[in-house]
Every structure is written in structure tokens, then in C-alpha cells.
Amino acid sequence: MTERQMQIGEVAERTGLSLRTIRHYEDVGLVSPSARSKGGFRLYTDADVERLMVVRRMKPLDFSLEEMRDLLEITDRLSGDGDPPAGGERERLRERLDAYRKVADARCETLRAQLMAAEDFAATLRRRLDADG
């Protein structure tokens, strides 16, 4: 049974990313379509869509393209279909992955604090409108 393949428009709908963004992520080496149609159209699999979703989830945390690429390489290597990393390499990869996790956790905390401040501000505006109403 062959895996279902989607054209870029369907992938854009499923991921909420624009066609331009998906093409850009391909150009910078973050994601590649699994195949091309006879007419040259990009064809993506569910695994490609999941990879795009990982990139999409990294974006609000301000990871650079280089950090995204590095993180994807780490996860690819740890879960790859090729030769599994040997003990020492595996440990180094896990340490690097954990460092990214710590950065992501810290950035999430910063975003939570910013959201709380923004919600407080919106509540202040609502109270102001109610008081003037």
C-alpha cells in the first residue's frame, strides 16, 4: 500500500501555513516534499505535514532557522531509519535536545507572562469602557 500524497495546497490548508512559507521552508532546508508529480508538483506525505507542524510550533518561540534546522537534524538522527546513533553520540544528541527543551520552556514562560500582561491590559480597557458607559 502506498502512502497518500498531497499537493502543496492541501498541505497549506492542513497546516495553516501559506504556500509561500512552505516553499521558503523547503528553500532553507527545513522540509522537503517526499516526491514530485510527473508535472513537477510537490507531493507531501503525512510525515512531511507533521514535520511542517513541528516547524510551525517552533516559530512562536523565536527559534532561528539555524536552530530549527539543528533541532530537526537531532530529532531525525534520534528517530531515524538509518543507523541508530551509538551510545556516546546518542547521549550527546539527547543533551542537545534537552538544551533546546530548556530554551523552549523558558520562552514559553516568557510568553505566558506577556499574555498575562496583555490580558490585564484588555481587562483594564473593558473596565474603562464599562465605567464610562
Side-chain angles (χ1 to χ4, degrees):
M1 183 171 130
T2 60
E3 189 171 10
R4 180 173 174 272
Q5 296 180 324
M6 298 159 270
Q7 289 190 1
I8 195 169
E10 183 179 349
V11 172
E13 283 181 30
R14 287 184 59 183
T15 62
L17 297 169
S18 69
L19 302 179
R20 183 177 178 183
T21 297
I22 295 169
R23 288 185 194 111
H24 174 69
Y25 289 159
E26 179 185 355
D27 290 343
V28 298
L30 293 178
V31 107
S32 296
S34 289
R36 295 259 181 182
S37 70
K38 290 179 183 173
F41 292 105
R42 293 167 176 84
L43 297 174
Y44 297 88
T45 62
D46 286 329
D48 299 327
V49 170
E50 181 54 37
R51 187 176 182 94
L52 280 165
M53 291 304 295
V54 168
V55 171
R56 182 175 172 214
R57 289 189 293 264
M58 282 189 268
K59 191 79 174 115
L61 297 176
D62 287 332
F63 284 105
S64 69
L65 291 175
E66 187 56 44
E67 289 170 323
M68 289 180 188
R69 196 176 298 111
D70 185 45
L71 214 155
L72 289 167
E73 287 172 8
I74 292 167
T75 57
D76 287 348
R77 188 70 183 110
L78 285 171
S79 64
D81 296 328
D83 289 335
E89 180 191 5
R90 181 174 179 74
E91 187 57 34
R92 284 188 299 279
L93 289 169
R94 289 184 51 79
E95 287 171 7
R96 288 171 53 205
L97 188 60
D98 190 48
Y100 279 116
R101 182 201 50 84
K102 289 175 183 172
V103 169
D105 285 346
R107 291 179 183 175
C108 284
E109 197 56 43
T110 298
L111 287 170
R112 278 188 206 92
Q114 290 173 344
L115 178 58
M116 284 178 57
E119 288 174 336
D120 185 50
F121 175 68
T124 299
L125 293 176
R126 283 191 298 278
R127 284 192 302 272
R128 182 78 183 249
L129 283 169
D130 290 345
D132 289 343

